[in-house]
Amino acid sequence: MSRVRRAVTVTVTAAALTVPLLLATGCGIATTGVVESGRAGTVKLATAPDPGLLYFIAPDGALVPLPVSDRAQRPDIGFTIGMLLEGPSEVAREAGLTTEIPVPDVNSPDAKVKGLARGPVKVGGDDKTIRVVLPLPVEPLSGPARRQLACTTLQAVSVRPAPEILLIGSDGKERTAVCEIRPEG
């Protein structure tokens, strides 16, 4: 073997051994312990343009958003809140989702058509307070029911920073509501 060939072989061999050695040492980067980084990231799923979301209750008590299927035809917030008042769809119920909002009886003599709850819902307000006038009393509404209404309302109006939600019931009473996805405690 010639001197040049031997020198090249030695150089290549040395380089081949040096690269794994550098990789193994990490090039002087010090190791660290586990670094807490907060909550996991979230991803928005691709859906139809602005479908609106209805919030229902999962078995663990957390609120779960479901897209409104026909919001594109009726994009107003009263329609969206009215759909929430009708309760979860059959598919959502089969998935274990429930509501704490008393669902109007569409089979009552006063209900001429399905969608009774959609008509009387009125929403108004300013940048600081959104008033939601409901066709049911608000005094007996549970905390989860008020959370459902607040989250659905805030999603429908898309106002930032989030204003206060004031629920006004058919009983003339008023209750504030806060959007919290997870139950307190």
Side-chain angles (χ1 to χ4, degrees):
M1 198 184 292
S2 73
R3 283 185 164 190
V4 175
R5 191 175 217 176
R6 186 177 307 145
V8 170
T9 304
V10 170
T11 305
V12 169
T13 304
L17 293 174
T18 305
V19 171
L21 185 61
L22 285 176
L23 291 175
T25 63
C27 299
I29 299 173
T31 60
T32 62
V34 175
V35 177
E36 294 294 327
S37 63
R39 295 180 58 196
T42 57
V43 176
K44 285 194 173 195
L45 299 176
T47 59
D50 188 29
L53 296 173
L54 306 178
Y55 284 82
F56 293 107
I57 302 170
D60 68 353
L63 294 185
V64 175
L66 293 178
V68 178
S69 59
D70 53 356
R71 180 176 158 106
Q73 296 163 354
R74 296 274 314 272
D76 62 273
I77 185 173
F79 178 81
T80 302
I81 298 293
M83 288 189 72
L84 177 69
L85 295 179
E86 291 178 4
S89 67
E90 184 178 336
V91 172
R93 285 191 307 272
E94 288 174 2
L97 301 181
T98 61
T99 184
E100 291 245 343
I101 301 169
V103 179
D105 183 7
V106 295
N107 296 321
S108 74
D110 297 331
K112 306 239 185 311
V113 294
K114 183 166 176 52
L116 171 70
R118 297 183 191 182
V121 176
K122 294 182 180 145
V123 179
D126 52 36
D127 289 341
K128 295 180 182 177
T129 304
I130 297 176
R131 292 168 181 79
V132 181
V133 180
L134 300 167
L136 50 97
V138 294
E139 193 63 35
L141 289 178
S142 66
R146 291 193 311 274
R147 289 181 18 237
Q148 283 181 264
L149 287 160
C151 291
T152 299
T153 299
L154 288 176
Q155 178 66 35
V157 296
S158 300
V159 175
R160 300 293 180 260
E164 177 183 47
I165 304 295
L166 183 63
L167 305 175
I168 304 166
S170 61
D171 55 359
K173 308 257 177 161
E174 298 178 355
R175 302 273 312 257
T176 58
V178 177
C179 178
E180 294 173 334
I181 301 300
R182 292 261 169 223
E184 292 180 16

